[in-house]
């Protein structure tokens, strides 16, 4: 059984919408049957057509989509809605979709503001519907394994976290050159109060909390606008304190000229450490005080079901970003199906980011920008 | 428009069939509507059901599939047939499919024997249908770029080729332990006269000829059965001569204990070299006599359309094996669609392995096994 | 002509003294002829004996060494004194040596306190003698090349610096286990007010200022004592501001369980970046906005004289830590000899750390510890 | 006590002589007191002077050196002679030195021909003197550890060996450009019958036999002269059989444009494998059938005395080629001293290459060149 999927946003020329659709197809759990791909009717229809969506289900607004789909019979109407619009159009369609009985997959960061995020949390809970926030990096098998190993005590109590997300693509004033991605991501009206911190800082923040199982309690941020004329931060470094007493360093920048996207996390505990980076995504380094570092590999056969349940190719055949994204879609689908069938979802399936992570992510955005502006050294992480 | 796809083989529990299906879905050019997934009627139907194929199009033999589909109306019947059976069931279904007007995607190695391969080449040519052989590694963007760079003279006349394919999974007598993959791949009745040389040696051979644009003229092989009791070779090394005078070394083994699947190729010319390995698939090293080695990356923005036309994610988001496989499916689909629409296919689309590569691959199998048994040092590469 | 060398400290069982001696021997510019290896007369004599130093020149105190050597004839007495004692015995012997006409090589950090450092700066200047502080990492050819490239404008104006120095060896309470190195390095009476920050933080600080040519103006530090019972910091992270407006992150820790000593620096400018790490010391990555990253290698033939003048082995034969250390000794020797011979020292020779770097390093120690204790976010870097 | 050392060859401008001298100095076991650095009297004297050798012991021929030194009193005359001349001047001075009571360190390959090598073996044995052949790669701690691990059964019975030595420096006709190194290494009158095979093939051959403890029994070689006008081979690949039934591939080339000197060896056994390469010399990969690959490091604390006895710097401070070379000198010195003092040499000290390895190396040269010319596929490895 395939889940019937609709998409809000992601019309022709959009970037992340196409990624979501590939992610939805890889494991064949979804069938895209409807969409409000664009507020331009013609563009929405053309986008839908190219995607095999029938013209009458290529809507021109999310309101229309939700209203019309709701009127369809149960075996016809969509079950899951993917929302891939810019940040300022996250909250309203998600709320409406949930309140009208649809499960939702939403691109990060969750909302435009923390207030919206907290409101959305209530909506998710009251709606009883399932919700997934696409923090892609938590979809990588070896990121999941890192979390499992740390949770199992493999490296002892966590003491230190280094998480970094260096990009170089905004090293120049790209938003002045008719670059669609650069334009909305550096526009406070569309992205919110943060640039790099919202776009990639939230990923780094989420990755660190996900892998360690810890929660941030204080932060101390240096937030910069490096490129002249830019309206939002394009660089930042944050010192962190966690609820078990551990400390951390988060680096996220978009002006690391020549760098691409090599997200990396290192966690050190009392008896060992783990290290993962996206460029060699199928590898996890596991370190010890007095033994050789081990190279854990997705296909190694000694990993937990959080790896084996999230890979497709045999040992040594690399899987990457699209498969990590697909893992979010797949696990969400399996959970939705279990719900529909009244079965219990497995722990591996339930391991996708939800609304709590979204609230914490938006709290990070607001806290980190506030800290950046503050003369106070350490500020409490408040939600 | 999606192409209607049928699959022969690939029933529940099969490995490569599932990979082909993911590859067919990633870029949304195909819709799987029929299949002869198993000769067991119930299993074929169950497999089809799980894949969303209607029961009446889940056939129990390739003959039935081809016969019945042929009788359907043009806008209903399948257009492309993927064949993912073991080697001994490659030739007959492919021939039948082509002769009955279907385009074919076939898993490698192409046939059970060179004679079959040569016969199939005639069938492809006389049928006028399109044919793709899934030598996956040629689907990697950076493998394509390597070919383009060498063809453009970037490294001068090619002098030396090192190609290696080390696996360790057959280090023990796995075929004695009810392992399906090990069993058929080491069974002369299903794999043909070669084990490792047919399974992975053909990939290495193809990769070297593809990247360099050269053809093998002579070879000198050391072919071994290392694990006791095994019926086919599980290890081999081959010295090669190419038609421009270059020499090469091909290493393919399945007893490299602890190794996974890190296919690697290095080519050296008069003025530079290239190096690619699957473990860091989005990277190509380009070497020079008197300048720093360059790290070419898929998302770098300085590559040819053979890279940009074969990637989906933005810079620094790794794509892997499934995407390389998907590139074969995508390029084949674009070529089939161009043919259907009477348009000319672009060079990037036409860059998929075909029947000539299949014939050369089977010639490699027969030549390398013959060389392995021969006392003669160098034997001509004959087709 | 070899320079006659004496050593203060470095008796049997010491660690860094042995390293200094190897460094002094590699390029054959020194002859060790005297020493105050230990305050224990017997131990000093035994150490000297093992090193080929005649018993009458194996002194039992630095005072004795300086006094007695001074009385020897010019062609007999030592010309250079290496001081390799713990931090609290740096200032006095260095001062005495300089004031009595000896050139000095001193292990880092320069002194026990900033006051001593500033005092020493005056002594060096008034003495007219040459002084080298062994910040080893600036002896690596590719660190030197990074500095040269940045100075030449290769990456444009510097915007961001990441420098890290992760060690794991103090993850446990090693000073409780009769470990000589751990004991003095965690003892405020011997190391001063800082542990990790003095021991390795100073290296990272110096490396960043050396490579970029920038000076730190403000800092914001998180300084931690992680291991229970420890008396000095074993972990810290520091946000930095530089005099051109660039920002930086410095991470130095001794509780990164499983890590060894992989010092790493990344610098990003307007048009590119550089990256160097000790584990692959003969390689420098040079990054660009729109071209492939280049792998610069010591033996590549395209580097400046700061590389070719600081390597010994041919291309592809790795040199390491001891050779980097030897480069300090060699360049110091060449400078001393030039001085003796009344010649002008070449720029490559003069590229060794001196007393200004030492003062800045001690200022770092005091500033960073003060910042760690302060509630103020940013504190000025004061000397 | 330092051993008194003389050097034959290695005058100003020579390459390998300078390397030998650094190697001799690093651990302070030798004092260079005499030399026949050049057959040109003035040049020999000048070279000696620069090295601190008194003019009367800067001889103009090896004959003079040996004759004169022999006449000196026992506590004055040299004990060890290093011979670093081109290959055609290896046999005679070594023989003369041994027969006159000197221990000898000789650069590889051992002699000009296999006949000379066999003759030299007799001389070494009858002389009772110690002899070391500088196969540098066996001086690396992690190469030694690989040997120890394999000997201990860590990877089971060895099945497959890949050893490679790719260089690119002879990609052009460098010997036509007044390049001293290129000239003699490609001159049959100075190098013997082999070029690349003698220069670097012997290293690869020795490394494989050393690490595995196996002996080559058959070989099948493809030997090429790639660069037009060159008189000796600059490229070759060899298939090998070992005495336990294992097979191997040896690749040595000097026309791998853009490559430097990254010697690499991989050995696979029944239950695991090892992998080492010079570019990351302080690391050894240890592979298993069913466990994660381990990254063994020189400073890890879990290695044998063959590592800890052959390193100087603490964990994470890389040592390289010069230290590997120094290990040969150091172990030879410790063995010579033990002999002088009538003590038993430790196993770690005795682990340096000797005359048997030299004979096998020269047999490799002759066998591999003969095989290259032969139409016979496999030829026995004969001595």
């Amino acid at each position: 059984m395939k889940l019937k999927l609709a998409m809000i946003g992601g019309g022709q020329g959009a970037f992340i919408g196409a990624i979501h659709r590939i992610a939805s197809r890889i494991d064949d759990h979804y069938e895209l049957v409807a969409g409000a791909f664009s507020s331009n009717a013609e563009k929405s229809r053309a986008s839908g057509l190219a995607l095999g969506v029938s013209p009458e289900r290529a809507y021109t607004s999310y309101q229309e989509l939700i209203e019309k789909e709701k009127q369809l019979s149960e075996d016809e109407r969509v079950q899951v809605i993917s929302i891939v619009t810019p940040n300022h159009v996250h909250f309203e369609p998600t709320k409406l979709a949930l309140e009208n009985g649809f499960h939702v997959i939403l691109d990060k960061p969750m909302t435009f503001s923390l207030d919206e995020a907290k409101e959305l949390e209530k909506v998710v809970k009251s709606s009883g519907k399932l919700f997934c926030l696409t923090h892609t990096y938590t979809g990588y098998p070896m990121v999941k394994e890192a979390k499992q190993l740390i949770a199992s005590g493999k490296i002892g109590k966590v003491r230190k976290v280094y998480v970094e997300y260096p990009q170089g693509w905004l090293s120049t004033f790209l938003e002045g050159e008719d670059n669609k991605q650069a334009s909305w991501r550096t526009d406070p009206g569309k992205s919110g109060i943060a640039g790099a911190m919202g776009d990639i800082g939230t990923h780094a923040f989420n990755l660190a909390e996900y892998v360690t199982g810890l929660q941030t309690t204080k932060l101390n941020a240096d937030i910069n606008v490096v490129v002249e004329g830019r309206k939002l931060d394009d660089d930042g470094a944050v010192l962190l304190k966690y609820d078990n007493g551990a400390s951390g360093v988060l680096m996220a920048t978009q002006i690391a000229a020549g760098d691409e996207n090599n997200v990396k996390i290192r966690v050190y505990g009392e008896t060992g450490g783990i290290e993962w980076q996206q460029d060699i995504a199928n590898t996890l380094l596991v370190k010890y005080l007095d033994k050789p570092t081990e190279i854990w590999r997705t296909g190694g056969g000694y990993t937990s079901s959080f790896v084996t349940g999230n890979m497709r190719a045999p040992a040594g055949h690399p899987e990457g970003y699209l498969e990590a994204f697909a893992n979010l879609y797949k696990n969400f689908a399996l959970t939705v199906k279990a719900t529909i069938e009244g079965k219990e979802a497995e722990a591996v399936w339930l391991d996708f980011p939800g609304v709590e992570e979204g609230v914490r992510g938006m709290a990070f955005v607001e806290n980190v920008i506030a800290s950046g502006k503050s003369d106070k050294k350490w500020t409490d992480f408040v939600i």
Side-chain angles (χ1 to χ4, degrees), chain A:
Chain A
M1 181 197 72
K2 292 188 195 179
L3 295 170
K4 283 177 287 298
L5 179 70
M7 180 166 276
I8 294 172
Q12 287 169 333
F15 146 60
I16 202 71
I19 300 292
H20 276 253
R21 287 192 295 266
I22 293 174
S24 76
R25 285 195 298 265
I26 282 180
D27 297 303
D28 213 18
H29 287 297
Y30 299 89
E31 187 179 8
L32 182 69
V33 296
F37 302 105
S38 172
S39 53
N40 176 309
E42 199 169 339
K43 195 175 164 195
S44 186
R45 206 165 301 122
S47 296
L49 198 67
L51 295 165
V53 170
S54 63
E56 69 276 13
R57 294 177 86 175
Y59 307 101
T60 57
S61 73
Y62 66 84
Q63 295 92 338
E64 187 194 0
L65 182 150
I66 291 165
E67 191 192 331
K68 294 272 178 70
E69 287 293 323
K70 204 184 165 186
Q71 294 165 11
L72 296 179
S73 68
E74 199 177 328
D75 63 331
E76 220 184 336
R77 73 164 169 259
V78 301
Q79 296 158 295
V80 176
I81 299 180
S82 275
I83 299 172
V84 298
T85 45
N87 306 353
H88 67 305
V89 196
H90 278 189
F91 174 70
E92 290 295 346
T94 304
K95 181 169 184 285
L96 200 64
L98 290 164
E99 290 177 344
N100 282 279
F102 299 99
H103 303 294
V104 172
I105 297 170
L106 175 62
D107 204 66
K108 50 57 53 189
M110 191 162 78
T111 51
F112 193 72
S113 69
L114 177 55
D115 281 347
E116 281 185 1
K118 289 193 281 190
E119 177 64 21
L120 195 58
E121 187 175 25
K122 291 180 201 155
V123 174
V124 169
K125 287 184 176 163
S126 65
S127 74
K129 293 293 139 187
L130 291 161
F131 174 82
C132 174
L133 187 73
T134 54
H135 272 304
T136 327
Y137 303 102
T138 65
Y140 275 108
M142 279 320 198
V143 170
K144 292 176 179 287
E145 191 72 358
K147 179 187 182 64
Q148 297 303 317
L149 290 178
I150 289 173
S152 76
K154 184 89 175 178
I155 65 170
K157 188 186 153 203
V158 169
R159 291 169 160 182
K160 193 84 197 179
V161 179
Y162 295 135
V163 62
E164 57 184 80
Y165 200 140
Q167 290 184 333
W169 72 292
L170 287 177
S171 291
T172 59
F173 192 63
L174 212 54
E175 59 268 50
E177 297 174 28
D178 193 30
N179 180 302
K180 187 177 172 173
Q181 289 302 319
S183 296
W184 83 259
R185 287 173 201 265
T186 60
D187 178 353
K190 292 181 176 163
S191 276
I193 59 170
M197 283 297 127
D199 194 13
I200 59 175
T202 48
H203 273 311
F205 172 83
N206 174 257
L207 183 60
E209 291 204 341
Y210 173 80
V211 165
T212 61
L214 301 177
Q215 290 205 330
T216 307
T217 55
K218 287 172 193 286
L219 73 185
N220 170 359
D222 176 25
I223 305 296
N224 303 299
V225 181
V226 173
V227 173
E228 213 180 303
R230 184 154 289 155
K231 292 182 188 147
L232 291 173
D233 58 287
D234 49 19
D235 172 74
V238 193
L239 305 180
L240 303 159
K241 295 290 180 188
Y242 291 98
D243 55 358
N244 78 335
S247 63
V249 183
L250 181 155
M251 292 161 281
T253 189
Q254 295 177 315
I255 54 92
D259 276 9
E260 294 180 348
N261 205 67
N262 191 19
V263 196
K264 180 176 173 179
I265 185 163
R266 289 172 281 179
V267 180
Y268 299 97
E270 290 172 331
T271 62
I274 64 92
E275 179 174 331
W276 179 87
Q277 57 183 297
Q278 193 187 216
D279 270 0
I280 45 169
N282 300 286
T283 289
L284 178 71
L285 296 184
V286 182
K287 306 173 185 185
Y288 303 92
L289 279 181
D290 50 11
K291 289 196 306 180
T293 293
E294 293 170 351
I295 304 175
W296 287 48
R297 298 271 300 160
T298 42
Y302 39 71
T303 58
S304 76
S305 59
F306 285 79
V307 172
T308 51
N310 285 294
M311 57 183 287
R312 298 145 191 88
H317 296 74
E319 297 191 43
Y321 173 73
L322 298 172
E323 289 82 2
F325 220 120
N327 287 335
L328 300 189
Y329 266 85
K330 183 197 63 176
N331 288 321
F332 189 69
L334 291 170
T335 302
V336 169
K337 289 181 185 182
T339 305
I340 292 173
E341 295 164 9
K343 293 180 185 161
E344 198 168 355
E346 295 183 11
V348 171
W349 306 346
L350 289 166
D351 188 32
F352 58 82
V355 74
E356 289 87 354
E357 285 85 349
V359 171
R360 293 193 66 76
M362 288 312 301
F364 171 72
V365 167
E366 303 218 345
N367 280 286
V368 86
I369 295 299
S371 170
K373 289 180 178 155
S374 170
D375 286 339
K376 217 178 146 197
K377 188 169 182 177
W378 292 100
T379 53
D380 289 337
F381 186 88
V382 291
I383 298 187

